[in-house]
Short mmCIF file of all heavy atoms in Angstrom, two decimals:
data_model
loop_
_atom_site.label_atom_id
_atom_site.label_comp_id
_atom_site.label_asym_id
_atom_site.label_seq_id
_atom_site.Cartn_x
_atom_site.Cartn_y
_atom_site.Cartn_z
N TYR A 1 22.00 15.36 221.98
CA TYR A 1 21.80 16.23 223.16
C TYR A 1 23.12 16.50 223.80
O TYR A 1 23.95 15.56 224.02
CB TYR A 1 20.88 15.55 224.18
CG TYR A 1 20.81 16.26 225.50
CD1 TYR A 1 20.19 17.50 225.65
CD2 TYR A 1 21.41 15.68 226.63
CE1 TYR A 1 20.14 18.15 226.87
CE2 TYR A 1 21.38 16.33 227.85
CZ TYR A 1 20.73 17.57 227.97
OH TYR A 1 20.72 18.22 229.16
N GLY A 2 23.40 17.76 224.08
CA GLY A 2 24.63 18.13 224.74
C GLY A 2 24.77 19.64 224.75
O GLY A 2 23.86 20.36 224.34
N MET A 3 25.90 20.12 225.17
CA MET A 3 26.14 21.53 225.30
C MET A 3 27.63 21.82 225.24
O MET A 3 28.44 20.88 225.23
CB MET A 3 25.50 22.08 226.56
CG MET A 3 25.95 21.43 227.84
SD MET A 3 25.16 19.84 228.21
CE MET A 3 23.42 20.31 228.34
N SER A 4 27.99 23.09 225.29
CA SER A 4 29.44 23.42 225.26
C SER A 4 30.17 22.74 226.42
O SER A 4 31.35 22.32 226.26
CB SER A 4 29.61 24.94 225.37
OG SER A 4 29.02 25.59 224.27
N GLU A 5 29.53 22.63 227.56
CA GLU A 5 30.19 22.07 228.74
C GLU A 5 30.43 20.58 228.62
O GLU A 5 31.14 20.00 229.45
CB GLU A 5 29.29 22.36 229.96
CG GLU A 5 29.21 23.81 230.37
CD GLU A 5 28.12 24.57 229.64
OE1 GLU A 5 27.55 24.05 228.65
OE2 GLU A 5 27.83 25.71 230.08
N THR A 6 29.85 19.92 227.61
CA THR A 6 30.10 18.50 227.38
C THR A 6 30.77 18.26 226.02
O THR A 6 30.61 17.16 225.43
CB THR A 6 28.80 17.67 227.46
OG1 THR A 6 27.89 18.17 226.43
CG2 THR A 6 28.15 17.82 228.83
N CYS A 7 31.48 19.27 225.51
CA CYS A 7 32.11 19.18 224.19
C CYS A 7 31.06 18.93 223.08
O CYS A 7 31.33 18.25 222.09
CB CYS A 7 33.17 18.08 224.11
SG CYS A 7 34.66 18.48 225.09
N GLY A 8 29.87 19.46 223.27
CA GLY A 8 28.83 19.29 222.29
C GLY A 8 27.98 18.03 222.57
O GLY A 8 27.88 17.61 223.76
N GLY A 9 27.42 17.42 221.57
CA GLY A 9 26.54 16.30 221.75
C GLY A 9 27.20 15.14 222.48
O GLY A 9 28.26 14.68 222.05
N CYS A 10 26.58 14.65 223.52
CA CYS A 10 27.12 13.54 224.29
C CYS A 10 26.06 12.42 224.45
O CYS A 10 26.36 11.36 225.00
CB CYS A 10 27.63 13.97 225.66
SG CYS A 10 26.35 14.66 226.76
N VAL A 11 24.86 12.67 223.89
CA VAL A 11 23.83 11.63 223.85
C VAL A 11 23.28 11.58 222.44
O VAL A 11 22.86 12.57 221.91
CB VAL A 11 22.66 11.95 224.85
CG1 VAL A 11 21.55 10.95 224.73
CG2 VAL A 11 23.18 12.05 226.28
N TYR A 12 23.34 10.41 221.82
CA TYR A 12 22.88 10.21 220.43
C TYR A 12 21.67 9.29 220.40
O TYR A 12 21.77 8.16 220.83
CB TYR A 12 24.00 9.61 219.58
CG TYR A 12 25.13 10.59 219.23
CD1 TYR A 12 25.32 11.80 219.88
CD2 TYR A 12 25.99 10.28 218.20
CE1 TYR A 12 26.30 12.66 219.55
CE2 TYR A 12 27.02 11.14 217.85
CZ TYR A 12 27.17 12.34 218.52
OH TYR A 12 28.20 13.21 218.18
N ASP A 13 20.57 9.84 219.92
CA ASP A 13 19.30 9.09 219.86
C ASP A 13 18.99 8.49 221.22
O ASP A 13 18.58 7.31 221.30
CB ASP A 13 19.35 8.02 218.77
CG ASP A 13 19.16 8.59 217.39
OD1 ASP A 13 18.59 9.70 217.28
OD2 ASP A 13 19.55 7.95 216.40
N GLY A 14 19.24 9.23 222.28
CA GLY A 14 18.88 8.79 223.61
C GLY A 14 19.94 7.92 224.29
O GLY A 14 19.78 7.59 225.46
N ILE A 15 21.02 7.58 223.59
CA ILE A 15 22.06 6.73 224.15
C ILE A 15 23.31 7.55 224.42
O ILE A 15 23.88 8.17 223.51
CB ILE A 15 22.39 5.56 223.20
CG1 ILE A 15 21.13 4.82 222.79
CG2 ILE A 15 23.44 4.63 223.82
CD1 ILE A 15 20.42 4.17 223.97
N PRO A 16 23.82 7.58 225.69
CA PRO A 16 25.05 8.31 225.97
C PRO A 16 26.25 7.71 225.20
O PRO A 16 26.30 6.51 224.97
CB PRO A 16 25.23 8.13 227.49
CG PRO A 16 23.85 7.79 228.01
CD PRO A 16 23.19 7.02 226.91
N LEU A 17 27.17 8.61 224.80
CA LEU A 17 28.38 8.13 224.18
C LEU A 17 29.18 7.28 225.16
O LEU A 17 29.00 7.42 226.38
CB LEU A 17 29.24 9.32 223.74
CG LEU A 17 28.63 10.28 222.71
CD1 LEU A 17 29.66 11.36 222.33
CD2 LEU A 17 28.17 9.53 221.45
N ASP A 18 30.07 6.48 224.64
CA ASP A 18 30.96 5.67 225.52
C ASP A 18 31.67 6.59 226.51
O ASP A 18 32.22 7.62 226.12
CB ASP A 18 32.00 4.90 224.68
CG ASP A 18 31.38 3.66 224.04
OD1 ASP A 18 30.18 3.41 224.23
OD2 ASP A 18 32.16 2.96 223.35
N GLY A 19 31.67 6.19 227.77
CA GLY A 19 32.36 6.99 228.78
C GLY A 19 31.54 8.10 229.38
O GLY A 19 32.00 8.83 230.29
N VAL A 20 30.33 8.29 228.91
CA VAL A 20 29.44 9.37 229.39
C VAL A 20 28.38 8.74 230.32
O VAL A 20 27.78 7.71 229.96
CB VAL A 20 28.75 10.13 228.23
CG1 VAL A 20 27.75 11.14 228.78
CG2 VAL A 20 29.81 10.83 227.39
N GLN A 21 28.16 9.38 231.43
CA GLN A 21 27.14 8.91 232.39
C GLN A 21 26.12 10.03 232.62
O GLN A 21 26.49 11.19 232.70
CB GLN A 21 27.75 8.52 233.75
CG GLN A 21 28.85 7.48 233.69
CD GLN A 21 30.18 8.05 233.39
OE1 GLN A 21 30.52 9.12 233.86
NE2 GLN A 21 31.00 7.29 232.65
N LEU A 22 24.86 9.67 232.70
CA LEU A 22 23.81 10.62 233.05
C LEU A 22 23.00 10.10 234.19
O LEU A 22 22.69 8.90 234.24
CB LEU A 22 22.91 10.90 231.84
CG LEU A 22 23.41 11.95 230.83
CD1 LEU A 22 24.24 11.27 229.77
CD2 LEU A 22 22.28 12.75 230.22
N THR A 23 22.59 10.98 235.10
CA THR A 23 21.64 10.67 236.16
C THR A 23 20.66 11.78 236.26
O THR A 23 20.86 12.87 235.72
CB THR A 23 22.34 10.48 237.52
OG1 THR A 23 22.93 11.76 237.90
CG2 THR A 23 23.45 9.42 237.47
N SER A 24 19.51 11.50 236.88
CA SER A 24 18.52 12.53 237.10
C SER A 24 18.40 12.72 238.59
O SER A 24 18.09 11.81 239.37
CB SER A 24 17.18 12.08 236.54
OG SER A 24 16.19 13.05 236.75
N LEU A 25 18.75 13.91 239.07
CA LEU A 25 18.73 14.27 240.49
C LEU A 25 17.61 15.25 240.73
O LEU A 25 17.66 16.40 240.29
CB LEU A 25 20.08 14.89 240.89
CG LEU A 25 20.26 15.27 242.37
CD1 LEU A 25 20.22 14.00 243.23
CD2 LEU A 25 21.55 16.01 242.58
N ASP A 26 16.55 14.74 241.40
CA ASP A 26 15.35 15.58 241.64
C ASP A 26 14.79 16.12 240.33
O ASP A 26 14.34 17.26 240.25
CB ASP A 26 15.66 16.73 242.62
CG ASP A 26 16.07 16.22 243.98
OD1 ASP A 26 15.55 15.18 244.41
OD2 ASP A 26 16.92 16.87 244.60
N GLY A 27 14.86 15.31 239.27
CA GLY A 27 14.33 15.73 237.99
C GLY A 27 15.31 16.51 237.09
O GLY A 27 15.02 16.72 235.91
N ARG A 28 16.47 16.86 237.66
CA ARG A 28 17.48 17.62 236.89
C ARG A 28 18.51 16.65 236.34
O ARG A 28 19.06 15.85 237.11
CB ARG A 28 18.16 18.66 237.78
CG ARG A 28 19.26 19.44 237.08
CD ARG A 28 20.09 20.28 238.07
NE ARG A 28 19.30 21.28 238.73
CZ ARG A 28 19.16 22.52 238.32
NH1 ARG A 28 19.80 22.92 237.22
NH2 ARG A 28 18.44 23.39 239.00
N LEU A 29 18.78 16.75 235.04
CA LEU A 29 19.81 15.89 234.45
C LEU A 29 21.21 16.40 234.84
O LEU A 29 21.48 17.62 234.88
CB LEU A 29 19.71 15.90 232.93
CG LEU A 29 18.52 15.14 232.32
CD1 LEU A 29 18.44 15.37 230.83
CD2 LEU A 29 18.59 13.65 232.66
N ARG A 30 22.06 15.46 235.19
CA ARG A 30 23.47 15.80 235.41
C ARG A 30 24.29 14.81 234.60
O ARG A 30 23.96 13.65 234.42
CB ARG A 30 23.85 15.80 236.88
CG ARG A 30 23.68 14.51 237.62
CD ARG A 30 24.11 14.65 239.08
NE ARG A 30 24.17 13.36 239.76
CZ ARG A 30 24.65 13.18 240.98
NH1 ARG A 30 25.10 14.23 241.67
NH2 ARG A 30 24.66 12.01 241.52
N ILE A 31 25.44 15.29 234.12
CA ILE A 31 26.25 14.54 233.16
C ILE A 31 27.65 14.36 233.72
O ILE A 31 28.25 15.34 234.23
CB ILE A 31 26.29 15.22 231.82
CG1 ILE A 31 24.91 15.49 231.26
CG2 ILE A 31 27.13 14.47 230.78
CD1 ILE A 31 24.83 16.36 230.02
N GLY A 32 28.19 13.15 233.62
CA GLY A 32 29.56 12.88 234.04
C GLY A 32 30.34 12.23 232.94
O GLY A 32 29.75 11.76 231.93
N GLY A 33 31.67 12.19 233.10
CA GLY A 33 32.48 11.52 232.10
C GLY A 33 33.64 12.40 231.62
O GLY A 33 33.73 13.57 232.00
N THR A 34 34.49 11.85 230.81
CA THR A 34 35.71 12.53 230.35
C THR A 34 35.41 13.71 229.39
O THR A 34 36.29 14.49 229.06
CB THR A 34 36.71 11.59 229.72
OG1 THR A 34 35.99 10.79 228.74
CG2 THR A 34 37.30 10.65 230.76
N VAL A 35 34.16 13.80 228.87
CA VAL A 35 33.86 14.85 227.94
C VAL A 35 33.58 16.19 228.64
O VAL A 35 33.40 17.22 227.95
CB VAL A 35 32.61 14.51 227.09
CG1 VAL A 35 32.88 13.28 226.24
CG2 VAL A 35 31.37 14.32 227.93
N LEU A 36 33.57 16.21 229.96
CA LEU A 36 33.22 17.45 230.69
C LEU A 36 34.32 18.52 230.53
O LEU A 36 35.49 18.23 230.56
CB LEU A 36 33.04 17.18 232.20
CG LEU A 36 31.82 16.36 232.59
CD1 LEU A 36 31.61 16.44 234.11
CD2 LEU A 36 30.57 16.79 231.86
N ALA A 37 33.85 19.78 230.44
CA ALA A 37 34.75 20.93 230.41
C ALA A 37 35.45 21.07 231.77
O ALA A 37 34.99 20.49 232.80
CB ALA A 37 33.96 22.18 230.11
N GLU A 38 36.51 21.83 231.79
CA GLU A 38 37.24 22.09 233.01
C GLU A 38 36.61 23.18 233.85
O GLU A 38 36.99 23.41 235.00
CB GLU A 38 38.69 22.49 232.70
CG GLU A 38 39.47 21.39 232.02
CD GLU A 38 39.52 20.14 232.88
OE1 GLU A 38 40.02 20.22 234.03
OE2 GLU A 38 39.04 19.08 232.39
N GLY A 39 35.63 23.89 233.30
CA GLY A 39 34.95 24.97 234.01
C GLY A 39 34.87 26.19 233.12
O GLY A 39 35.08 26.10 231.90
#
């Protein structure tokens, strides 16, 4: 699971890659970590 904004897949079989954080804010997933795009 991932997208261009996270350099592609950042969750493998439900487990975030090292250095990747995910939270659910009001049901919406948000992703943090060094894999994030600059914008």
